[in-house]
Structures are given as structure tokens and as C-alpha cells.
Amino acid sequence: EGFVKPIYVVSFLSLILLIKVVINGNIKVKKHLMIAYIALIVWIFASNVWAKVVFVNITLVTVFVISLAFILVCKSLDEKELHFIRLAFLLGGLIVCINVLTSNQYLNDFEGRLVLAGISEGGANDPNWVSWLLLPSLFVSIRYTSSQKLMHRFLGYFCMIIIFYSIVLSASRGAILAIIVSILCKWIYERKYITTFFSLSILMLIGVFFMDYVTALLGHRFDITFMVETGGAGRMDIWKVALEMIKDNFMLGVGVGNFNSYWQFYAGEAGIGLSRGAERVAHNFLLQCFSELGFMGMMLFLCVVYFSFRKNISSLLVNNEDFVWGGLSLVIGAMFLNAFNEKMFWLF
């Protein structure tokens, strides 16, 4: 309280760096990525012209500046720098998890998932978001479990158990699904077909024999009947509304940050009514992007992703596979979150 937010300081320094880079012409990134990224930023803010409500998120602006500065001057990181980044992920995730696990309320049935985000103590963080942000830390810890150094292996196993336990207690179905799918993709890529088969079999057995226990521990979040009846906390109904919105605003979208402003009208068009609330967010970053920015914005976003990984994915899978699978888990988790306008989505 009373201090300037660090992200604004970093943004200001990044802006100075951008000006210096442009003046000196010291640009290291491929031009295609730079053009796609700048075009996406311009399109996002231009969409305010036809939006019902003007959306200018100052924090998001700062993230765009930081990200642009990074991709313009990015360089290959050496092993020492990568090790430092991984330790930051591990220690950051560990501190968050230990802080919540030492709470004396975390096993109070349904309240367990709320304690992870501090909601039971008056906080405002969604446990789905907290567990989503822990996913990269989990996959970094998995990498450390196969390290040649005993201390690194111990650190990896310790962090992996604590972080995974915390994510399970959050009862975030999206995060748990993201972990399962990413690990299965990892094993399939590494041709561990037998491991994949046995792991799926074990998961099915756990689902059959321990579902009652999981339901008792975490409330009705993992009750199959409940999930079918509610459509994933109403997400199926929300996605129907998003599709109606896309159908009517295919090329341009409804404008950045305006999904909830158009919710009431398109809820009626989709036959949902207001049974799911007066205003809702998309709960899927791709549908959010398409409905708010239209086909043009969606294509620009996909171009940014394509040009970012076009020539890097093979080397990443060889040397830094934890970042690849951690990134994949973030993308899968974002399929159930309103992530597109959030700063952490862009920073990751």
C-alpha cells in the first residue's frame, strides 16, 4: 500500500528500452513475430471503436509493453540463467503452497478449495486461478526429480508433492485435467506407451473406487452427476452464448473486454435466459478472443503463437521440455478460464 506497483516500474523501463532499440535498430527477433504482435496490440485497442463499453486496462497495457520489449531483444539463455528461472518457479510455488497448507481450515470439506485462494479469509482470488498459476512450478519440479544431483532430486520431489497436493485441494477440475493431459502427451511424445497405458488404467481404477472419498474431501466438485447437471459450473451454457456472439460478430467481434456487456442479449438468443447470472465472462480464452476480437483478432493471435514457436519447438523439447509441458498445461487450463485479458496469461 502506498508504493508504485512493480509492474509499472518494469513497464517504464521497458518503454525506455523499446525507444532505445528502435533508435539503434538493434532488433534481434524475427520481423514476422514483431509485425504480428504489434498488429494484435493495435487491433485489440482499435476494437474499442465499435465496442459498447470502452475497455482500457492499464495493467494490460503495461504487460504488452513489457512483452514487446522482451520479444524485440530476446536472446538465448544459458544454463545458469535457466536454472535461476526454474528455482524462482519452484520457490515461488512452494511459498504459496506452504502458506495455504499451514492454514487450519484447509480440510473443511468444500471450504478446502477456498482457503487456497484466501477467500475464506476475505480474499478475492479464485482458487481456479491460483491452481492454474501453480502449473509451471509443478512441471519444473517434475524435471528436477530426474536430475543427476541428489539435492536437486530431493527439491524436485518435495516441491512436486506439495504443489500437486495443493492443486488437488483447490478442486480445480481444469487444472487437474491440464496436468493429466500434459503428462500423457509428454509420455506419448517420449514413446512411453506402456507407462501411459498403466497410468490411464490406474486413473480409471481410482475414479471407480475412490470417487466417494474424493467427493467427501472436496465437496461435489468431482461428482459426475453434479458435473453433468451443471454443465461444469454453467460453462456449457456460457459457451453456447459465446458461439451466438461469434455468429453475429464474426469478423470484428464485440470489442475487447465486452463479453459480459453483451451477455444478457446473447443469453436470450441462446435460450439460456439469465439463469446463469446477469453478466458472465467467457471461461475460455479462445472463445473470449474470438467473440471479443472477431476472426481478424483470432488470426493475429494464432500468428503470434505460430511465429513464436515455428523454429523453437524441437530444441525446446530436447533441452527445456518442462517449459513446453508446463506451457501446454497453462493453455489447457486457460480453456476453462477468462484468461485472454489477464496479465499473467501474457507474461507466461
Side-chain angles (χ1 to χ4, degrees):
E1 292 290 339
F3 288 91
V4 178
K5 286 187 176 180
I7 195 168
Y8 296 150
V9 177
V10 176
S11 178
F12 178 71
L13 295 175
S14 299
L15 184 59
I16 295 175
L17 178 60
L18 273 176
I19 295 170
K20 181 176 180 293
V21 167
V22 172
I23 292 174
N24 296 338
N26 187 26
I27 298 174
K28 298 180 180 180
V29 76
K30 294 293 184 182
K31 289 184 179 179
H32 294 97
L33 174 58
M34 182 180 67
I35 292 170
Y37 190 80
I38 293 175
L40 176 62
I41 296 173
V42 170
W43 183 262
I44 286 173
F45 289 102
S47 69
N48 280 297
V49 174
W50 56 84
K52 180 186 292 187
V53 178
V54 174
F55 180 85
V56 180
N57 186 320
I58 300 301
T59 304
L60 191 59
V61 174
T62 64
V63 171
F64 282 143
V65 173
I66 294 169
S67 304
L68 185 58
F70 175 76
I71 66 172
L72 286 178
V73 298
C74 62
K75 67 182 184 70
S76 298
L77 300 174
D78 59 33
E79 283 303 315
K80 185 177 180 180
E81 291 168 319
L82 287 170
H83 179 61
F84 178 82
I85 292 172
R86 289 189 171 98
L87 284 179
F89 269 119
L90 281 183
L91 295 178
L94 190 62
I95 290 169
V96 170
C97 294
I98 289 178
N99 181 49
V100 298
L101 291 177
T102 51
S103 167
N104 59 7
Q105 305 175 51
Y106 73 93
L107 281 179
N108 289 349
D109 193 41
F110 184 70
E111 289 298 313
R113 71 184 307 260
L114 304 184
V115 172
L116 181 65
I119 291 179
S120 61
E121 300 175 0
N125 295 317
D126 188 329
N128 294 314
W129 278 102
V130 178
S131 57
W132 181 71
L133 294 173
L134 287 171
L135 291 173
S137 300
L138 177 66
F139 279 89
V140 170
S141 68
I142 292 172
R143 176 191 175 95
Y144 272 81
T145 60
S146 59
S147 172
Q148 298 297 319
K149 297 182 179 179
L150 181 61
M151 182 57 70
H152 287 176
R153 282 209 307 275
F154 172 79
L155 180 65
Y157 278 110
F158 180 73
C159 292
M160 181 181 70
I161 292 169
I162 296 294
I163 294 170
F164 181 72
Y165 185 51
S166 299
I167 292 174
V168 170
L169 282 182
S170 78
S172 172
R173 294 168 296 207
I176 293 173
L177 177 64
I179 293 170
I180 293 172
V181 173
S182 298
I183 289 179
L184 290 178
C185 288
K186 177 179 184 295
W187 285 337
I188 291 171
Y189 175 80
E190 295 171 352
R191 293 182 171 83
K192 295 181 179 178
Y193 300 119
I194 296 178
T195 304
T196 305
F197 173 77
F198 280 112
S199 299
L200 282 172
S201 302
I202 291 170
L203 282 173
M204 291 176 66
L205 288 173
I206 291 173
V208 171
F209 291 106
F210 295 101
M211 185 57 72
D212 289 340
Y213 171 76
V214 173
T215 301
L217 178 65
L218 300 173
H220 51 231
R221 296 281 296 176
F222 291 88
D223 185 286
I224 301 297
T225 304
F226 173 78
M227 286 192 286
V228 172
E229 289 176 351
T230 60
R235 281 176 172 80
M236 298 301 293
D237 286 342
I238 294 169
W239 295 341
K240 289 178 184 177
V241 175
L243 292 174
E244 286 293 327
M245 208 175 291
I246 291 169
K247 186 173 68 175
D248 279 6
N249 304 273
F250 184 79
M251 289 303 297
L252 301 181
V254 298
V256 63
N258 271 253
F259 184 93
N260 55 349
S261 299
Y262 285 83
W263 165 264
Q264 292 193 26
F265 176 77
Y266 284 103
E269 291 287 305
I272 304 302
L274 300 181
S275 60
R276 296 298 182 190
E279 291 185 354
R280 295 299 299 265
V281 293
H283 286 87
N284 180 300
F285 83 104
L286 288 176
L287 286 177
Q288 181 188 5
C289 175
F290 208 144
S291 60
E292 293 185 353
L293 301 178
F295 177 78
M296 296 294 294
M298 188 70 178
M299 289 300 102
L300 287 172
F301 173 70
L302 293 178
C303 283
V304 169
V305 175
Y306 172 72
F307 290 129
S308 295
F309 294 101
R310 180 174 54 172
K311 295 183 179 180
N312 300 330
I313 193 69
S314 298
S315 60
L316 281 172
L317 282 168
V318 172
N319 302 313
N320 300 292
E321 75 287 348
D322 51 334
F323 293 139
V324 173
W325 305 121
L328 177 62
S329 68
L330 285 174
V331 170
I332 296 170
M335 293 290 188
F336 305 93
L337 295 173
N338 206 55
F340 194 80
N341 294 333
E342 296 294 332
K343 60 181 180 292
M344 292 312 299
F345 176 78
W346 289 96
L347 290 177
F348 275 128

